[in-house]
């Protein structure tokens, strides 16, 4: 059977005789509906299992590769074409002529015989609107026009399968059909046995899915076995307006939920139909603080009483959302090209949906909270050293929201629930349960991260009250850094997969910048004695660090991976915080030295993370790029743009890849992680390149 389906796929590829262009790049997976940890569907493209970036002839899939059935047919003068998915038997596929992505959109241009289709998958990002950001919905606009001057008889079809409702395909799905007050027609489907705060293979085991479109003339619908519903359309060009009420397992005669729209006679004026897919969950996560374990509501539930009124409202906002997100796309485009050129826009515009989709915007107007899922690495929630590499994109779009990410962590630790030590915790558990800090410990890393992010938040928002409120906790972290950042004990850094080590040069630097940042926090909050004490300690440490951590006699000189190991090196990405916070701790000569060094150890797809392995982390590369001289910065950026275009990996972009092959690092399939938010490193700085006047 596997052989047969391979043959069918090959036939499909042969039928698609046009070659698509890809702009600004052909990413390893094309984002389709990427809004949240659970609404996260892409089209695999990379050569290691993907089809090269075509919407038809392959199933869309959840970030982990599980198929989320999504089909599109178009019937033109009685001939049916497939424009999305890989149903069997497969009607001939459309010719895809172009694919383009911007920050919030994936746009395909498809040719179905004599008609052209413009299909836009819009996954909004609304960083000034908690309610909109909290409602995971993706819009699909399908615009059809005649391309040969004639009029053509056109019917459009699409369905989704119950595979969206659970990652365990043996679970029973249930469904119903309805219309909202403003006539939005919807298929609602869900895992019959709802298990809140449980995942089946990373997909939610609770919540209600909606596939919707405007009701009206020419719209028909049907639920039923995949082959029945699709045959009905391909044979007749419309559906039966019937419901299959034999609720059954997702993989038992796969139930699908279809719409057909008769567009009538289509000429050169394009006719647009808008579909939406969304998941509605009353609560996003469980969270434990001093009051015990609570269920935290999805933020949109503060505004909408029920799922259908929310759907009704969001569907109706399509035009507004479309123009707001077009503005956001343009802003990212102009800022990115100004800061780092076209290649830089290739990175930033791919990062936006992926980063924001790891967030669950939750809570109440009095107490909004944002939870973050690591996604692929191990699904941890609120991981401090995952928030940290992500945070440049938060600073760029809305620094106020950084507090909402830090609040669950500081509140947990301030209530005394963290008993492992005086250092900052690593995570709050495994998404969607933020109920117990996990056992992993990265003491210097996380203490430094918390202090650096708290100061960045206050600098950008002016909220020094936040620093006063949490002064004791931040001071406690600083005590840990004073003890352990000059000679960090043997421990893991955020790059835990690379192994543990004592005296890590880059980790020590983070601790020292953290101490200097605390000196600034003390200054801002009227704690003058602490301020001068910490400033003195940080200055003393950084002077010693330059002797301990720099291989002066190397050619060219560079910092080491660990003290005294002069043949070792690594990305000195923690230097970024010195520039970001304007701590003025590290001399400009260190920036220049590293900027001169990196090109001497660059491989085809980047500079290795350190001398232990051939792989790199592209979030950290961009932290280094942001504070490098123009040539070195351009080298980092173009190597990552090449990686995006050429990687054989086929999941949503990985942040960890081999520098010689651009493939996943051996055995570690990081993908879809929010840390690509770190690609906004240039835009989060006030000015890019080596900062002027850092002397000590
Ligand atoms: C499509 O099929 C119908 C029914 O068989 C027929 O009446 C109609 O003329 C056909 N249209 C075209 C454009 O071939
Ligand atoms: C730092 O070290 C001192 C001396 O050993 C100890 O008393 C103190 O508790 C340590 N502070 C932290 C935060 O670990
Ligand atoms: C850390 O570096 C210092 C200075 O080189 C050295 O004395 C100490 O032994 C190192 N620690 C470890 C655990 O290697
Ligand atoms: C490493 O280099 C430093 C100065 O560049 C030198 O003082 C030190 O002795 C070297 N260490 C080793 C083990 O060669
Ligand atoms: C960056 O620029 C803004 C606006 O000019 C300024 O308010 C801020 O203090 C600067 N520094 C940082 C770290 O944001």
């Amino acid at each position: 059977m596997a052989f047969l389906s391979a043959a069918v796929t090959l036939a499909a590829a042969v039928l698609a005789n046009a070659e698509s262009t890809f702009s600004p790049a052909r990413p390893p997976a094309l984002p389709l509906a990427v809004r949240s940890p659970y609404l996260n569907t892409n089209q695999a493209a990379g050569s290691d299992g993907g089809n090269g970036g075509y919407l038809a002839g392959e199933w869309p899939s959840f970030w982990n590769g599980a198929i989320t059935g999504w089909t599109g047919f178009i019937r033109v003068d009685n001939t049916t074409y497939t424009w999305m998915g890989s149903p069997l038997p497969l009607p001939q596929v459309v010719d895809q002529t172009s694919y383009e992505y911007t920050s919030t959109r994936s746009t395909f241009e498809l040719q179905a015989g004599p008609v052209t289709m413009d299909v836009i998958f819009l996954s909004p990002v609304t960083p000034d609107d908690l309610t909109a950001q909290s409602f995971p919905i993706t819009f699909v606009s399908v615009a059809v026009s005649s391309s040969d001057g004639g009029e053509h008889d056109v019917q459009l079809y699409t369905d989704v399968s119950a595979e969206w409702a659970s990652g365990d395909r043996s679970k029973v799905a249930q469904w119903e059909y309805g219309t909202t007050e403003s006539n939005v027609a919807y298929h609602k489907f869900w895992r019959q046995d709802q298990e809140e705060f449980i995942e089946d293979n990373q997909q939610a085991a609770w919540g209600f899915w909606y596939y919707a479109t405007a009701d009206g003339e020419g719209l028909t619908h049907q639920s039923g076995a995949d082959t029945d519903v699709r045959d009905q359309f391909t044979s007749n060009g419309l559906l039966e307006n019937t419901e299959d009420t034999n609720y059954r397992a997702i993989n038992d005669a796969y139930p699908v939920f279809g719409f057909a729209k008769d567009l009538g006679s289509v000429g050169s004026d394009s006719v647009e139909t808008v579909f939406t897919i969304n998941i509605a969950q009353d609560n996003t996560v469980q969270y434990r603080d001093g009051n015990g374990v609570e269920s935290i509501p999805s933020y949109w539930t503060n505004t909408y009483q029920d799922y259908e009124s929310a759907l009704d409202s969001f569907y109706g906002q399509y035009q507004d959302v479309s123009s707001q997100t077009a503005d956001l796309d343009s802003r990212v485009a102009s800022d990115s090209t100004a800061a780092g050129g076209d290649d830089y826009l290739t990175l930033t515009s791919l990062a936006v949906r992926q980063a924001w989709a790891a967030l669950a915007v939750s809570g109440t107007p009095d107490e909004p909270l944002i939870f973050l899922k690591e996604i692929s690495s191990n699904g941890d929630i609120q991981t401090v050293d995952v928030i940290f590499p992500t945070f440049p994109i938060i600073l760029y779009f809305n620094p106020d929201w950084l507090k909402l990410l830090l609040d669950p962590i500081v509140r947990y630790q301030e209530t005394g629930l963290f008993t492992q030590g005086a250092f900052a915790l690593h995570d709050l558990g495994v998404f969607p349960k933020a109920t117990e800090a996990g056992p992993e410990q990265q003491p210097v890393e996380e203490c430094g991260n918390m202090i650096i992010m708290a100061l960045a938040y206050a600098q950008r928002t002016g909220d020094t009250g936040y620093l006063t409120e949490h002064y004791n906790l931040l001071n406690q972290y600083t005590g840990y850094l004073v003890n352990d950042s000059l000679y960090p004990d043997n421990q893991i850094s955020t790059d835990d997969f690379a192994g543990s080590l004592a005296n890590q040069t880059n980790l020590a630097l983070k601790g020292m910048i953290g101490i200097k940042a605390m000196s600034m926090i003390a200054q801002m909050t009227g704690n003058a004695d602490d301020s001068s004490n910490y400033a003195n300690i940080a200055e003393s440490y950084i002077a010693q660090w330059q002797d301990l951590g720099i291989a002066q006699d190397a050619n060219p000189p560079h910092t080491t991976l660990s003290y005294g190991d002069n043949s070792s090196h690594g990305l000195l990405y923690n230097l970024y915080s010195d520039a970001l916070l304007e701590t003025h701790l590290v001399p400009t000569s260190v920036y220049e030295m590293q900027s001169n060094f990196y090109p001497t150890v660059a491989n085809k797809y980047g500079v290795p993370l350190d001398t232990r392995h051939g792989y790199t982390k592209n979030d950290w590369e961009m932290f280094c790029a942001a504070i490098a001289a123009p040539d070195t910065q351009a080298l980092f950026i173009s190597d990552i743009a090449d990686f995006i275009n050429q990687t054989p990996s086929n999941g949503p972009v990985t942040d960890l890849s081999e520098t010689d092959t651009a493939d996943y690092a051996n055995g570690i399939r990081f993908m879809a992680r929010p840390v690509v938010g770190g690609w906004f490193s240039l835009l989060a700085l006030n000015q890019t390149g080596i900062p002027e006047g850092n002397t000590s």
Side-chain angles (χ1 to χ4, degrees), residues 497 613-617 643 647 649 654-670:
F497 45 84
H613 305 276
Y615 54 61
T616 194
K617 289 275 287 138
F643 151 79
T647 174
S649 66
T654 178
D655 49 295
L656 177 69
S657 59
E658 296 290 347
T659 54
D660 53 352
T661 63
D663 207 347
Y664 292 117
N666 188 27
I668 314 173
R669 293 170 73 90
F670 283 5

Side-chain angles (χ1 to χ4, degrees), residues 486-490 502-503 548 563-564:
L486 181 57
Y487 299 109
D489 286 337
N490 188 349
N503 286 335
L548 292 163
Y563 295 165

Side-chain angles (χ1 to χ4, degrees), residues 547 550-554 564 566:
D547 288 333
I550 296 178
Q552 293 288 2
D553 302 335
N566 290 346

Side-chain angles (χ1 to χ4, degrees), residues 288-306:
R288 182 198 301 272
D289 64 9
N291 304 322
V293 175
E294 304 165 69
S295 299
I296 307 294
S298 294
Y299 195 84
W300 58 267
T301 61
N302 296 292
T303 305
Y304 299 103
Q305 303 309 309
D306 57 70

Side-chain angles (χ1 to χ4, degrees), residues 104-125:
T104 62
R105 288 164 168 74
S106 281
T107 302
F108 296 84
E109 192 171 281
L110 312 170
Q111 192 66 34
V115 307
T116 301
M117 307 175 69
D118 285 295
V119 181
I120 303 173
F121 293 82
L122 168 62
S123 293
V125 170

